[in-house]
Amino acid sequence: MQLLVNIDHVATLRNARGEGYPDPVEASTVCEDAGAAGIVFHLRSDRRHIRDEDVYRLKKSVKGILDFEMAATDEMIRICREIEPELCTLVPEGREELTTEGGLNMKHVYDDFANRVFPAFEGTGIEMSLFLDPNPHDIELAHKLGTDTIELHTGTFANAPDAESRKKELERLQKGAELIYQAGMKVNAGHGLNLDNLPVLAREVPYLEDISIGHALVSKALFWGLERTVKEYLKIMNAR
């Protein structure tokens, strides 16, 4: 299990004043130096946080895994092919949403992904990942599509209103991870994870590899600093 830090909200803070700082690329270097295995960013169509120039600078500076989160638009496919990150994670994207609110609905996107999106990445060497809820049918369609990796959406688990709901979602994640692994795909996870809920996920869900954490980590870093915060998350991952 390794940590990928999503630095979107460093850019959010920068954009609030337009002063050019804090710099998400500088933040990515601090995170990697503290032990993170790589960096995640989501280039949205409205450029609300990460901007195009950030993407090109991140490609030059990130030494580990660079995970390009994106909607499967022609524009994003073009930029991703040009950047050639190690990992491309396809996510649903709604213009009015505050953050990604759930996994892809594979029934709705399968034909488009099979005929337009995945063929555009053939021969690039970019690892393809799909952001999914732990639904067996979605996982089966992802496998049929030929994806390399599935990032399990952990937001429902993280935001569960009570212990019983959290337990049920944890069981779904366990079963989903098992299905993904048995199908020969890599199991990643992300969304809503923090220092309080990560220990349970890390201990109870099998086969987890890359864990993407952003908002909670960047928020805690306001008080602790990025280096200490990254190391606290790594302690949890190393102790599972």
Side-chain angles (χ1 to χ4, degrees):
M1 185 186 301
Q2 53 189 10
L3 173 64
L4 304 186
V5 178
N6 186 313
I7 44 83
D8 288 351
H9 293 299
V10 177
T12 299
L13 184 56
R14 174 198 62 191
N15 297 351
R17 285 285 295 270
E19 300 281 357
Y21 60 84
D23 181 4
V25 177
E26 182 180 357
S28 73
T29 299
V30 174
C31 291
E32 285 197 291
D33 288 347
I39 299 299
V40 184
F41 66 89
H42 183 172
L43 183 64
R44 284 179 170 267
S45 60
D46 61 9
R47 308 310 199 261
R48 68 176 66 171
H49 34 63
I50 295 296
R51 297 170 177 166
D52 296 58
E53 58 267 27
D54 298 324
V55 176
Y56 291 90
R57 292 173 61 226
L58 285 165
K59 173 60 179 178
K60 290 181 179 179
S61 67
V62 172
K63 298 180 178 65
I65 298 167
L66 187 62
D67 181 2
F68 190 147
E69 285 190 357
M70 57 178 244
T73 65
D74 289 340
E75 178 192 32
M76 292 302 156
I77 291 171
R78 176 184 59 77
I79 296 172
C80 189
R81 282 175 53 90
E82 184 176 348
I83 294 298
E84 293 187 332
E86 283 69 30
L87 182 63
C88 171
T89 301
L90 300 176
V91 301
E93 183 178 302
R95 184 169 292 277
E96 301 302 323
E97 66 185 4
L98 292 176
T99 185
T100 306
E101 295 172 348
L104 293 159
N105 184 324
M106 290 304 297
K107 181 179 179 181
H108 291 167
V109 304
Y110 181 85
D111 287 343
D112 181 47
F113 279 23
N115 296 312
R116 179 182 65 91
V117 180
F118 271 60
F121 287 97
E122 288 181 2
T124 64
I126 299 171
E127 182 179 333
M128 299 302 295
S129 172
L130 300 179
F131 186 64
L132 301 181
D133 292 303
N135 299 323
H137 185 60
D138 285 331
I139 293 169
E140 289 169 8
L141 287 177
H143 181 239
K144 182 180 178 182
L145 189 63
T147 191
D148 304 294
T149 300
I150 291 177
E151 180 178 334
L152 286 170
H153 172 232
T154 53
T156 305
F157 158 75
N159 299 316
D162 52 60
E164 184 61 28
S165 299
R166 190 174 300 108
K167 179 181 177 182
K168 288 181 180 179
E169 187 61 20
L170 189 62
E171 290 173 352
R172 292 182 68 222
L173 289 167
Q174 291 169 333
K175 292 176 182 177
E178 186 69 42
L179 284 173
I180 296 166
Y181 179 80
Q182 293 301 329
M185 297 178 287
K186 182 178 172 183
V187 186
N188 290 353
H191 200 79
L193 298 174
N194 56 42
L195 291 168
D196 295 323
N197 57 39
L198 180 61
V200 176
L201 186 87
R203 184 174 63 248
E204 300 295 336
V205 178
Y207 312 118
L208 292 175
E209 296 196 34
D210 296 344
I211 308 299
S212 175
I213 303 178
H215 185 260
L217 190 153
V218 171
S219 298
K220 196 66 175 178
L222 291 174
F223 304 99
W224 285 0
L226 274 173
E227 181 180 0
R228 177 187 169 188
T229 307
V230 166
K231 288 181 177 179
E232 291 297 323
Y233 277 96
L234 290 175
K235 284 181 185 176
I236 294 172
M237 294 180 179
N238 293 333
R240 65 170 178 158

